[in-house]
Amino acid sequence: MKSILCLLIAVAVGAALQVSGVPHGLLLGAILVTALVTTRSGFAPATPYGLGYIQVTLGIATGLMFEAWDSATASAMLPSLGVLLLCLTVQIALAGGWLTRGAGWNRTDALLAVYPGALAAVFDLLESEKASSKVIIVHLMRLLLITVLVSFLIPGQGSVAVVESPPLSTGMALTVFALIGLSVVLGRLLLAIGVPAPFMLTAILLTAVFVKSGWLHGFHMPDWSLNLAALILGVRIGSRFQGLGFAELGRHGRTAFVSVGLMIVVAAAFAEVAARWLGSDPLSLWLAYMPGAIETIAIVAFAGGLNVVFILTHHLARMVLLHFAPALLVQVRRAQKEV
């Protein structure tokens, strides 16, 4: 009952912000309401299957854009992916150097804090490496700062537009349900071996196959599904503040802000250089080189009319690259403990 009440308040506040012209007000309103409820009461609203819904919804919406995708587009992206690897190296080196030299952190905590991956993998590594709990504050700052920054810098829909979509035919509905089911089943298999954002990855790839096969011709994701994904994402971000008091946040907040700020500035610098070299849009490159927050980036990019396929391809490449090694490390260490 408490979770439903919190969700309703988040909807009301988010819709009010959206109608009043605040960019991505639904997402930001949900974060604000949930963070306040969580820090003051210690209660975090439950969103079962929320992350899976977000990933499948955004994955299908992204995969639908592959209708205009060809080999020339893919090959043109390869140089930018190379720049991404160099950008990640500089981001980790600078932010990690600040935490070890400027803030006096030990090397383990610093490396885990600047690891530009998903929070789930970070939690797993925190447990296996017995790192300090202050590391999670840096990742929360990264998630929150990126969300707020890109939401305000990238224009979104100022008001909620009601668009009437034609009803699905029986055949199309069965096709969509089959796509969702396959995405979930294959995603759970990838989840078991530690692949990051598994449902988004399977949904993107399967949707692209369905689109190229002509099975989803004329299908579009309804606006309400993306709005619901933004709401759930905001609630999940706000819920991360459970168990963190204002004193603890204030004590490590400045250190977290500086380290995350360095990574974002490095992303902007590389985006500007790559834009001149590759002739691409610097804003899309900046979002592509961001150190995390793939679901937030996807929602904001969709609302801003940006090249979502280009941006999310970079994020998926980053996540697969950065998560396979830690996931393998965790599995090896668990196996050693069992032995």
Side-chain angles (χ1 to χ4, degrees), residues 110-184:
L111 289 177
L112 288 175
V114 300
Y115 172 68
L119 287 175
V122 174
F123 286 143
D124 214 348
L125 286 172
L126 282 173
E127 180 182 351
S128 64
E129 296 290 343
K130 295 182 173 56
S132 170
S133 61
K134 65 186 177 184
V135 172
I136 196 58
I137 295 180
V138 178
H139 285 276
L140 285 174
M141 178 64 73
R142 172 172 60 92
L143 185 61
L144 188 61
L145 186 58
I146 290 176
T147 300
V148 174
L149 186 62
V150 300
S151 296
F152 276 99
L153 290 182
I154 300 174
Q157 295 177 349
S159 60
V160 179
V162 179
V163 179
E164 293 186 4
S165 301
L168 291 178
S169 65
T170 302
M172 183 61 74
L174 291 176
T175 302
V176 173
F177 283 130
L179 172 61
I180 295 173
L182 284 173
S183 299
V184 172

Side-chain angles (χ1 to χ4, degrees), residues 282-337:
L283 184 57
S284 295
L285 285 168
W286 182 55
L287 291 180
Y289 298 162
M290 277 286 183
I294 182 172
E295 291 87 0
T296 297
I297 297 295
I299 286 178
V300 173
F302 272 116
L306 300 177
N307 189 341
V308 182
V309 173
F310 177 85
I311 294 169
L312 290 193
T313 299
H314 285 73
H315 278 273
L316 289 172
R318 170 184 60 83
M319 293 180 69
V320 170
L321 175 67
L322 290 173
H323 282 249
F324 266 123
L328 181 61
L329 175 63
V330 170
Q331 294 298 330
V332 170
R333 294 199 173 192
R334 284 177 177 174
Q336 290 176 346
K337 289 181 180 179

